[in-house]
Amino acid sequence: MTRHIRRAAVFCALLLVALLVNAARVQVVRSGVYDHNPANRRASIARYAQPRGDILVDGAPVTGSRDTGEQLRYERTYRDGPLYAPVTGFASQVYGTTFLEHTGDGVLSGADPLLSPFPLWNDVTHGRPPGGNVVTTLNRRAQRAAYEGLDGRKGAVAAVEPATGRVLALVSSPSYDPGVLSGNDAGAERAWARLNGDPDKPMLNRAVRQTYPPGSTFKVVTAAAALDAGVITDLDAATDSPAPYRLPGTTTILTNEGDGCEDAPLRDAFEWSCNTVFAKLGVDTGLARMTRTAQAFGFNDVDMRIPFAVSASTFDTSLDEAQLALSSIGQYNTRATPLQMATVAAAVADGGRARTPYLVERTTRKGGATVATAGSRPSRQAMLPSTARRMRELMENVVREGTGTNAAIPGAIVGGKTGTAQHGIGNAGIPYAWFVSWAQGERDMEPRVAVAVVVEDGSARRGDITGGGMAAPIARAVMEAVLNS
Amino acid sequence: MTKAGVGTGTTVVAAADAPAPAVRLPRRRGVELALIVLAVLLSVYGYCAVGLAKHGTVPPGAAGYGAGLGVLALLAHLAVRLRAPCADPLLLPIAVLLNGIGLVLIYRLDLETPGDRAAPTQLVWSTLGVALFIVVVAALRDHRVLQRYAYVCVVAALALLALPILFPAVNGARIWIRIAGFSIQPGEFAKVLLAVFFAAYLAANRTALAYAGRQIWHCRRIQLPTGRVLGPIVAIWLLSVGVLVLERDLGTSLLFFGLFVVMLYVATGRTGWIAVGLLLASLGAVAVGRLEPHVHSRVEDWLHPFASIEAGQGPNQLAQSLFSFAAGGVLGTGLGLGHSILIGFAAKSDFILATAGEELGLAGLSALFLLYGLLVERGYRAGLSLRDPFGRLLATGLASIVALQVFVIAGGVTGLIPLTGMAMPFLAQGGSSVVTNWAIVALLIRVSDSARRPYAEQLDEPVDKNPRRSG
């Protein structure tokens, strides 16, 4: 019997070994697979176990955290949610994160390895450092001026600092409060359904994710290309351009809003936004040079990030002459985001260099110690410095005595360009009102701000929709806010 | 537990088959007391650690909890010291430590379910368990007395097993009875009674089982015992397993099956029984797995633990349990810092081990397994040292109950074998289970006392007669 008791004991020992080996398999060998299973809520619980770091504008947080005491403990809150929604995006426990909440998630949630004092420290301690902060380049007053200028009308504003590419304002309207999506209760679900079902698309970030036909504001690009190419050498020499202009190879006739565009010199044509002159100028400059200049400004860049992705602005690279003529006045397939057009204005203001815009100045630990800075951003010479000088002159004229007088700021140098973009089949849609501009204060060494404003307002009467009338005042308010701060 | 080897020299093992030499083994009651103090301190430490992790303060009841556990352990120790002075000094400390850890884990999970506090109830049941322990150790002077009550035991066991059929099913299993707000699982008690009966019956009939009966295939190895000897025990075994299948208590039916096969093997020394047992088990498992949807789903869950996730229904309990173990890793998250509550309603009972695995890690889990292993080993050792077949079989059976139960439930929640609802001995929430396990430890204390008592003091029971020819 003894032998058999021993064998039974050995059998039990084998069972014990099997348990130990299997426990090691589950807890060590397979643990990574189980930990990363999307149905495993531990990652979410750890993620929401501590307050999320903040997004800062002018040194003050525009975000916050609320302790709910639930399993997913801390929820995101927003101060001035609708105002900063195109920048912050939302951080929802159900619907994920967008915009800076998304691109800065590692730092904000504390998961970024850069935040831990030593490599692998978090793995050893099973903890995570407190969430860090994301410091934006935004100018609080410019942002508010843009938001209040749009006043709920559909549209967007983007403002950048010409010398650096720092984004000073990024506004989309109508907006929404991202805080309503924070929790994981039924309220968030209802808000999600309501926002997604809203025909005005409040969650669409019109400043960076929506492209519009830029209309006459694109004439800045066309003029720069023509000047760079030497097609125009004298701003005041008469151009050989008929009005109306028959698009090459077609019977389509292009006309102007006003008179006096026939053979108008570039200065006058730019001031009064002559379609015929610029359509012919684009054709004379040629597709290759037009394309090169447009792309140097940032068109057709599908990888642009600020740090979240910006929709690519497009300038078609395979056009016949008639299409090129239309494209040169910002129609046909030419489309641009408001941020892109702000970059165009900024390039003129900054001696022809188109700077890649950026929105995050630096990321910090909770205490404020810097984790990472924006670093140097690439810039391209979009036009010759001499061309930029002449473009400044042209744009200043527009504000001084042309279509953009509404943007004038006493005591400051302001350059601008209006645009009224036709769109829809047969131009049946309500036109978009555009204004791009830059401004330099009295005591400033160089232009401080470049702005692009687009207003797509279905409620206004068609005749009232002009870049100078609707968009320029908003641009002026934003520029004033920057110059005064 | 570094003193595992202390207290029993190799002489005891070597002496099992030969007449024991007249050496006087050290009784080691002081060691037992020291280990009990350590076990209580460890439990109190765990209790404090939970409080510190969850609320940043030592829980208000820490002193009371420690005192309660300490008094219980001390009383049990006194009972052993007075009535079983030669008993194995490791059994009681292990039981105290496991019960203490169990209370800590249940208290820890109570913090996540404020509406359902199980730890106080568990403490009451533990008290009852220790009381039963003291009664058994004090009242049962010689384990061989139990042999006389073999048939009382089996009738009681069958009655207890059958009782829950009259009560409604809970969570798919018909194994509980509810009396005055308390729910009792009679099958838990039945397994001890059945072990006593098996031991008594097999001890009385082992010769007939091993050597009588027809030979088949003209081979001595494969030999069927006479139906007269084998019949009753098989009938009782089938009856109990049948009842359990009716009640859908898979774990316990598996346990009874294993217990029966192990004890039959040890009693008769016939490897054939193992083969027959495994054959029957396989047939039964396949049949039940195919026909019974409850079992079938368990097997499916075991084979595909994440099927429900892929089907978009979220993780099932087994998947949650695996997540828990995985989250613990090697060192664990620390007491109070895991999320095993995600497992759901059985987190405190069947899945208590997942909390241990998550918060104590592989290190803590291995320590727990080794504690159980040690408990089982001490049981087997007592069986080896005894001289009467009943005692040997009883010790083996009791140790096997613990071993099989630990394997079935631990293997189930870690995905090693299909999951069957059972209680982790001493750890899991469940009154019947705690009381039964204290009874098992009490019986092991009793038989180990006999085993380690100096030969001269032992009663004049004949030694196992044919030790060499039984294999």
Side-chain angles (χ1 to χ4, degrees):
Chain A
M1 195 188 264
T2 302
R3 199 188 311 168
H4 304 110
I5 294 178
R6 288 205 176 139
R7 282 190 190 155
V10 168
F11 171 68
C12 289
L14 288 178
L15 293 184
L16 177 65
V17 169
L19 284 182
L20 288 171
V21 168
N22 185 57
R25 181 186 69 91
V26 172
Q27 300 203 266
V28 180
V29 181
R30 300 272 294 156
S31 70
V33 178
Y34 294 145
D35 284 345
H36 294 115
N37 190 303
N40 193 343
R41 278 169 70 80
R42 283 174 182 72
S44 302
I45 291 171
R47 178 191 167 83
Y48 295 108
Q50 62 182 24
R52 196 170 165 80
D54 282 319
I55 296 172
L56 270 52
V57 173
D58 278 351
V62 296
T63 55
S65 274
R66 183 175 63 224
D67 185 353
T68 62
E70 292 166 13
Q71 197 177 56
L72 303 181
R73 191 163 162 192
Y74 285 96
E75 270 179 23
R76 194 49 139 178
T77 59
Y78 295 89
R79 288 162 215 170
D80 289 325
L83 175 60
Y84 292 105
V87 176
T88 60
F90 57 76
S92 165
Q93 295 181 347
V94 184
Y95 304 105
T97 51
T98 54
F99 300 128
L100 283 191
E101 294 278 28
H102 181 68
T103 56
D105 190 58
V107 168
L108 293 168
S109 69
D112 194 317
L114 287 174
L115 291 174
S116 63
F118 305 106
L120 299 178
W121 175 264
N122 296 351
D123 297 332
V124 175
T125 59
H126 277 289
R128 59 167 73 192
N133 294 335
V134 171
V135 182
T136 67
T137 59
L138 286 187
N139 179 310
R140 176 179 291 275
R141 298 170 68 179
Q143 181 81 2
R144 187 163 289 284
Y147 187 76
E148 284 170 0
L150 282 169
D151 195 24
R153 287 175 294 178
K154 267 196 253 181
V157 176
V160 299
E161 188 172 75
T164 57
R166 301 168 76 227
V167 176
L168 300 176
L170 205 64
V171 168
S172 175
S173 175
S175 192
Y176 70 104
D177 183 1
V180 298
L181 299 174
S182 288
N184 52 358
D185 53 356
E189 213 169 294
R190 276 197 304 276
W192 178 255
R194 174 173 56 78
L195 290 171
N196 277 299
D198 193 325
D200 284 344
K201 297 187 182 167
M203 288 203 291
L204 172 64
N205 190 343
R206 292 176 163 83
V208 292
R209 292 285 170 85
Q210 173 78 319
T211 58
Y212 300 90
S216 301
T217 57
F218 193 75
K219 288 169 185 166
V220 176
V221 178
T222 306
L227 287 167
D228 261 9
V231 176
I232 302 283
T233 49
D234 185 351
L235 296 182
D236 297 303
T239 54
D240 176 21
S241 38
Y245 174 60
R246 189 174 57 80
L247 298 183
T250 69
T251 54
T252 308
I253 302 295
L254 187 67
T255 58
N256 296 305
E257 296 282 322
D259 300 327
C261 283
E262 187 170 353
D263 296 332
L266 187 62
R267 188 188 301 278
D268 297 345
F270 195 84
E271 202 170 297
W272 299 107
S273 201
C274 292
N275 288 336
T276 50
V277 176
F278 279 89
K280 182 164 183 297
L281 200 54
V283 175
D284 291 348
T285 305
L287 180 61
R289 303 204 67 117
M290 280 298 293
T291 302
R292 204 176 71 188
T293 302
Q295 293 189 348
F297 275 110
F299 281 81
N300 295 345
D301 181 356
V302 293
D303 297 323
M304 182 145 82
R305 304 192 149 266
I306 62 163
F308 47 82
V310 178
S311 294
S313 302
T314 55
F315 182 80
D316 203 332
T317 57
S318 54
L319 302 165
D320 63 22
E321 290 201 326
Q323 292 163 347
L324 176 58
L326 284 174
S327 297
S328 300
I329 57 168
Q331 302 287 342
Y332 191 58
N333 281 346
T334 308
R335 297 186 71 88
T337 58
L339 181 65
Q340 173 60 56
M341 292 318 292
T343 306
V344 168
V348 170
D350 188 43
R353 279 185 300 277
R355 315 246 181 203
T356 308
Y358 65 96
L359 188 53
V360 174
E361 193 72 69
R362 63 180 192 277
T363 50
T364 70
R365 290 180 208 286
K366 186 166 186 284
T370 299
V371 173
T373 50
S376 66
R377 311 281 298 183
S379 69
R380 281 162 305 215
Q381 197 69 34
M383 65 192 110
L384 298 172
S386 57
T387 302
R389 238 178 353 258
R390 291 201 275 186
M391 287 305 303
R392 279 186 62 151
E393 213 179 308
L394 293 179
M395 289 180 79
E396 284 168 37
N397 288 345
V398 170
V399 173
R400 194 177 307 124
E401 54 205 18
T403 52
T405 48
N406 279 340
I409 301 170
I413 308 166
V414 180
K417 181 73 193 84
T418 57
T420 309
Q422 313 290 327
H423 74 112
I425 298 161
N427 295 335
I430 304 296
Y432 300 125
W434 272 96
F435 194 74
V436 302
S437 63
W438 49 264
Q440 178 174 358
E442 266 175 308
R443 289 181 294 277
D444 295 330
M445 299 294 291
E446 56 190 353
R448 293 262 307 273
V449 56
V451 190
V453 177
V454 64
V455 181
E456 36 168 330
D457 196 335
S459 64
R461 283 187 297 122
R462 184 169 183 130
D464 291 345
I465 300 169
T466 59
M470 294 182 70
I474 301 173
R476 186 187 60 208
V478 173
M479 291 187 294
E480 275 181 327
V482 175
L483 294 180
N484 292 336
S485 56
Chain B
M1 291 302 124
T2 49
K3 296 190 174 175
V6 177
T8 49
T10 45
T11 41
V12 177
V13 180
D17 290 332
V23 286
R24 193 177 181 84
L25 282 168
R27 290 176 169 183
R28 302 283 185 197
R29 294 274 68 82
V31 170
E32 182 182 78
L33 183 60
L35 290 175
I36 285 175
V37 170
L38 188 65
V40 171
L41 287 180
L42 268 175
S43 306
V44 173
Y45 171 73
Y47 190 73
C48 294
V50 169
L52 285 170
K54 294 299 282 187
H55 304 303
T57 55
V58 173
Y65 168 84
L69 193 66
V71 166
L72 285 181
L74 213 60
L75 288 175
H77 169 72
L78 284 177
V80 172
R81 192 176 269 269
L82 292 176
R83 304 306 292 257
C86 297
D88 194 311
L90 278 182
L91 292 168
L92 186 57
I94 292 175
V96 170
L97 181 56
L98 287 172
N99 201 345
I101 293 173
L103 285 166
V104 167
L105 292 176
I106 294 168
Y107 167 76
R108 180 260 167 283
L109 289 169
D110 277 352
L111 296 179
E112 310 281 341
T113 56
D116 173 30
R117 291 167 53 75
T121 320
Q122 186 75 356
L123 191 58
V124 171
W125 282 111
S126 302
T127 310
L128 284 177
V130 173
L132 180 62
F133 173 90
I134 292 170
V135 167
V136 169
V137 170
L140 187 68
R141 297 308 309 268
D142 185 348
H143 62 273
R144 283 169 296 190
V145 174
L146 290 174
Q147 223 167 344
R148 284 184 229 145
Y149 298 103
Y151 289 94
V152 176
C153 284
V154 73
V155 170
L158 289 178
L160 284 172
L161 280 174
L163 201 54
I165 294 181
L166 307 173
F167 289 81
V170 180
N171 300 325
R174 203 181 279 274
I175 54 178
W176 282 276
I177 60 173
R178 290 183 180 279
I179 297 169
F182 283 99
S183 66
I184 300 168
Q185 215 172 321
E188 288 282 349
F189 305 116
K191 64 192 178 196
V192 181
L193 298 173
L194 218 53
V196 171
F197 167 72
F198 281 160
Y201 188 91
L202 291 171
N205 298 292
R206 55 192 288 267
T207 320
L209 282 163
Y211 303 111
R214 277 191 317 146
Q215 289 178 13
I216 51 171
W217 298 327
H218 304 287
C219 172
R220 275 199 73 232
R221 287 268 164 200
I222 301 173
Q223 191 180 35
L224 287 178
T226 53
R228 194 184 304 171
V229 183
L230 193 59
I233 193 165
V234 169
I236 282 161
W237 168 65
L238 278 178
L239 202 59
S240 51
V241 172
V243 167
L244 290 169
V245 168
L246 270 184
E247 294 169 355
R248 293 181 170 177
D249 189 357
L250 301 166
T252 311
S253 52
L254 202 62
L255 176 67
F256 281 13
F257 186 88
L259 177 66
F260 179 63
V261 171
V262 169
M263 291 185 75
L264 200 56
Y265 169 73
V266 170
T268 63
R270 296 246 156 234
T271 320
W273 290 123
I274 304 265
V276 172
L278 286 179
L279 191 70
L280 282 177
S282 318
L283 286 176
V286 169
V288 173
R290 287 270 170 78
L291 301 174
E292 166 68 47
H294 190 67
V295 184
H296 183 74
S297 70
R298 288 285 174 88
V299 174
E300 283 297 310
D301 284 349
W302 171 60
L303 291 173
H304 312 288
F306 297 140
S308 65
I309 296 172
E310 282 148 25
Q313 294 157 346
N316 59 22
Q317 280 191 311
L318 179 58
Q320 288 284 22
S321 172
L322 290 174
F323 290 162
S324 255
F325 281 106
V330 176
L331 295 176
T333 58
L335 272 173
L337 299 173
H339 301 287
S340 53
I341 198 68
L342 293 170
I343 292 168
F345 77 88
K348 294 177 194 171
S349 49
D350 294 6
F351 287 93
I352 191 90
L353 207 57
T355 303
E358 178 164 2
E359 307 200 341
L360 304 176
L362 180 61
L365 193 63
S366 302
L368 279 177
F369 284 157
L370 291 175
L371 280 180
Y372 285 113
L374 210 50
L375 189 63
V376 172
E377 188 259 353
R378 301 317 275 200
Y380 276 114
R381 181 162 294 206
L384 282 169
S385 309
L386 277 170
R387 277 153 198 84
D388 65 303
F390 170 71
R392 307 190 102 187
L393 283 170
L394 183 61
T396 306
L398 293 173
S400 302
I401 287 178
V402 176
L404 289 171
Q405 187 152 355
V406 167
F407 178 75
V408 167
I409 181 62
V413 295
T414 56
L416 182 62
I417 57 171
L419 186 62
T420 46
M422 274 187 105
M424 200 71 197
F426 289 113
L427 283 192
Q429 174 197 6
S432 325
S433 174
V434 165
V435 171
T436 307
N437 285 309
W438 274 111
I440 289 175
V441 172
L443 289 175
L444 284 178
I445 288 273
R446 172 50 60 221
V447 290
S448 76
D449 179 49
S450 305
R452 290 162 50 85
R453 194 169 293 170
Y455 190 59
E457 290 180 31
Q458 290 204 1
L459 300 171
D460 50 343
E461 190 68 20
V463 198
D464 185 8
K465 285 217 177 85
N466 298 303
R468 287 292 162 221
R469 284 166 52 202
S470 59

